[in-house]
Amino acid sequence: MEVKVIIAASLRTFTGRTPEVKVNAADVSEALNALTDEYPEAAKGLFDENHDLRDFVGIYLNDSDIRTLKGLNTKLSDGDELYLIPAIAGGACESVISTERMKEVSIGDKEIRRYNNHLQLKEISIKGQKRIMAGRVLVAGLGALGGVVAERLAAAGVGTIGLADAGDVTLEGLQVQTIHGTRDIDRPRAASAKDRLKKLNPLVNTITHQEKLSAENAEEIVAGYDIVVDATDSFVSRYLISDACVLCGKPDVFGAMYQFEGFVTVLGTKDGPCYRCLYPSPPPAGIVPSCAASGVMNALPGITGAMMAAEVLKLLTGSGEPLIGKAITLDAWNIRYHIVNTARDKGCPVCGADPSIHSAQDIDYEDLCGLRENPHEEPIEAIEPAELARRISDGEKITIIDVREPHERAIRRFPGTIAIPIGQLARRQKELDPDIDTIFICREGKRSILAIRTLREAGYEGPMYNLKGGFEAAAQIIFPNEGAWL
Ligand SMILES: [Zn+2]
């Protein structure tokens, strides 16, 4: 059977950036084997050391999750499409706002003028707009995506908007974040967002949460809202927010981005799945890069964030067809989109039939996401940028391997290094001298850890060190006078 395997953008590093592969296979397992025969690097992304499919990879056959079919044994027919979506992440709904709460809201002359666009839509009209005005929505993460959602919801007239973010506005974020301005650099993002929303619509009440969402405070914060928008950029916060939403009975409007590709779904509702149902465990730290580390096309947060805002409006008004039990991925550069069906996992430890997680405080989220040291794994030795600078200026005999991708090296070069992208390390290990120290660098010092693990697994036994904080931390120390890099 000839089938098409469509690969989500964040997995394409393993397939030489190929978005689609045609293979001949009788079932899903054979199709994946054909894919990894053609692209051996893909095996590392898809399978763990026991050759079991990694939990963070979702596989959809013609839009149905294969876990709702026969898993890897699901039979294929000519012309079928298999869609691989890693964690980057129907039907009409009932409003999350009760009729009593809607009735407490009144619409006067200034609201009629300001909200006239919605009032003219029969799907929203006065009752829907009142529900929007009665709504309390928490936006978690106020970067590019959360900023767009917050701006849309404020202009729409959502009564109370919670703004949760513990970070500050940076110059590096401004190309994709329109909620913050140049004058806001170094201000807390939550405070900057609050000012922007007040300017957009003074009728909206805003509450800032500048503390980091944690297992200790998440349920308490989430319980104060009707809907949570997850626009965060880490697996720790995604599992935490999803768990807190399920435990508090609140919908979780989830969005994620990678370069040109956006992903949106609604989680944590009565009938739909939660984040754990879709991705029972996170990818090993470093395999799927964050969007900050891999770049995002400027218009993508506008598109993806506006789709998330539309989901919030549907849930508040109880109208339209929300993305419950469905997820959309949109590749804005190549104009491809897919809507896939998602399903609740009956065995899910938080939203399944017999849940074992009853409080977020029971979970160590850092540990879940592989961010704590694994006591069984040999620790990886790190080297500080200042130490590396000293060793370079002393002329010590060391090898420096730059594992960044070619387009990243083109922005800022690190002279005197050997460039080997992660995917090629195992087969190019002959280029390393096991008798001298080898230091690995990447952009932020995370992928280089993965690089060292990869080489250890491949049997390399020479001394290996990770440059702490990566190129970002080292550039100022090692090349303080180089100025512009392009
Ligand atoms: Zn679940």
Side-chain angles (χ1 to χ4, degrees):
M1 312 297 155
E2 190 178 78
V3 299
K4 202 194 283 177
V5 184
I6 301 162
I7 297 138
S10 47
L11 280 178
R12 286 180 207 156
T13 38
F14 301 110
T15 59
R17 309 221 63 78
T18 306
E20 284 177 15
V21 180
K22 285 212 169 103
V23 297
N24 270 300
D27 62 20
V28 175
S29 173
E30 275 186 25
L32 295 183
N33 287 338
L35 176 76
T36 54
D37 283 348
E38 196 172 338
Y39 298 99
E41 314 294 353
K44 188 160 183 63
L46 296 177
F47 300 106
D48 63 16
E49 49 285 0
N50 302 319
H51 205 72
D52 287 329
L53 187 65
R54 291 191 191 273
D55 282 339
F56 81 92
V57 180
I59 300 184
Y60 298 85
L61 170 61
N62 302 331
D63 306 342
S64 295
D65 189 332
I66 61 160
R67 284 174 294 189
T68 64
L69 307 169
K70 291 199 171 123
L72 290 174
N73 300 320
T74 306
K75 294 269 174 271
L76 299 173
S77 312
D78 265 334
D80 275 349
E81 290 189 347
L82 270 185
Y83 196 49
L84 270 49
I85 309 178
I88 18 177
C93 69
E94 214 173 280
S95 169
V96 296
I97 308 295
S98 66
T99 306
E100 292 70 48
R101 281 180 59 195
M102 178 193 78
K103 285 183 176 162
E104 285 168 14
V105 173
S106 57
I107 289 192
D109 282 348
K110 66 176 185 293
E111 287 87 4
I112 286 178
R113 290 184 63 190
R114 181 179 281 272
Y115 301 136
N116 79 91
N117 272 286
H118 278 183
L119 298 177
Q120 293 178 67
L121 299 171
K122 74 171 172 25
E123 289 79 1
I124 298 181
S125 188
I126 296 243
K127 281 186 180 166
Q129 185 61 37
K130 280 185 163 183
R131 287 192 150 104
I132 292 171
M133 290 161 66
R136 298 172 61 88
V137 179
L138 176 68
V139 181
L142 295 164
L145 209 48
V148 171
V149 184
E151 285 181 323
R152 287 282 122 195
L153 296 183
V158 169
T160 300
I161 301 177
L163 300 164
D165 196 304
D168 292 338
V169 178
T170 63
L171 175 61
E172 288 77 4
L174 292 187
Q175 190 173 31
V176 290
Q177 298 168 358
T178 49
I179 195 168
H180 311 298
T182 307
R183 283 182 167 191
D184 298 314
I185 290 171
D186 294 334
R187 290 183 69 203
R189 284 176 174 190
S192 159
K194 183 187 174 83
D195 289 351
R196 168 79 182 135
L197 299 196
K198 277 284 154 207
K199 272 190 207 145
L200 267 176
N201 187 353
L203 304 181
V204 167
N205 176 33
T206 52
I207 300 171
T208 53
H209 302 276
Q210 285 187 30
E211 69 274 36
K212 213 171 164 50
L213 281 183
S214 67
E216 284 68 42
N217 66 20
E219 282 169 81
E220 199 187 324
I221 293 175
V222 165
Y225 293 90
D226 301 306
I227 297 171
V228 179
V229 171
D230 182 357
T232 61
D233 185 22
S234 82
F235 290 105
V236 170
S237 51
R238 289 169 185 177
Y239 282 98
L240 171 65
I241 289 169
S242 173
D243 288 355
C245 282
V246 172
L247 294 166
C248 298
K250 312 287 179 179
D252 171 5
V253 174
F254 177 88
M257 298 184 296
Y258 180 81
Q259 297 187 336
F260 304 100
E261 194 168 84
F263 177 95
V264 180
T265 188
V266 175
L267 305 168
T269 60
K270 264 203 324 279
D271 319 303
C274 76
Y275 193 67
R276 283 180 191 271
C277 295
L278 301 190
Y279 302 112
S281 62
I287 274 204
V288 177
S290 71
C291 62
S294 47
V296 162
M297 191 264 294
N298 156 289
L300 186 66
I303 302 167
T304 314
M307 290 200 297
M308 293 166 77
E311 293 309 308
V312 173
L313 296 180
K314 286 184 264 181
L315 294 169
L316 286 175
T317 56
S319 176
E321 196 182 310
L323 280 165
I324 296 171
K326 287 178 185 171
I328 181 165
T329 67
L330 171 92
D331 176 341
W333 209 244
N334 300 301
I335 292 297
R336 291 216 172 101
Y337 75 94
H338 294 269
I339 297 171
V340 294
N341 293 313
T342 59
R344 177 177 285 179
D345 172 7
K346 287 194 198 77
C348 173
V350 63
C351 78
D354 183 21
S356 57
I357 297 171
H358 303 288
S359 162
Q361 296 188 32
D362 298 343
I363 305 293
D364 182 338
Y365 289 88
E366 302 270 324
D367 187 43
L368 171 76
C369 296
L371 298 177
R372 292 215 195 291
E373 294 270 325
N374 178 349
H376 306 293
E377 203 153 34
E378 211 184 313
I380 282 167
E381 288 191 69
I383 172 168
E384 297 284 344
E387 166 74 3
L388 178 61
R390 184 194 62 72
R391 294 180 74 170
I392 291 172
S393 71
D394 289 356
E396 274 188 36
K397 208 161 178 259
I398 49 173
T399 309
I400 306 173
I401 303 288
D402 185 348
V403 301
R404 294 175 303 159
E405 300 293 324
H407 68 272
E408 300 179 84
R409 293 198 307 272
I411 305 172
R412 294 180 171 199
R413 275 186 300 279
F414 195 130
T417 59
I418 304 176
I420 311 182
I422 280 195
Q424 301 174 9
L425 267 174
R427 68 169 182 267
R428 289 178 59 184
Q429 58 175 293
K430 292 186 294 295
E431 295 174 39
L432 277 60
D433 180 349
D435 295 327
I436 62 174
D437 287 351
T438 301
I439 293 148
F440 290 81
I441 62 166
C442 67
R443 183 170 178 267
E444 302 183 291
K446 289 180 192 147
R447 272 178 293 165
S448 44
I449 293 178
L450 185 70
I452 294 175
R453 296 229 158 93
T454 305
L455 275 173
R456 267 194 196 148
E457 276 174 36
Y460 181 78
E461 285 179 342
M464 298 189 281
Y465 299 86
N466 176 47
L467 178 65
K468 229 178 172 174
F471 197 91
E472 295 285 309
Q476 293 304 322
I477 295 169
I478 298 179
F479 320 109
N481 305 316
E482 298 268 333
W485 296 83
L486 279 173

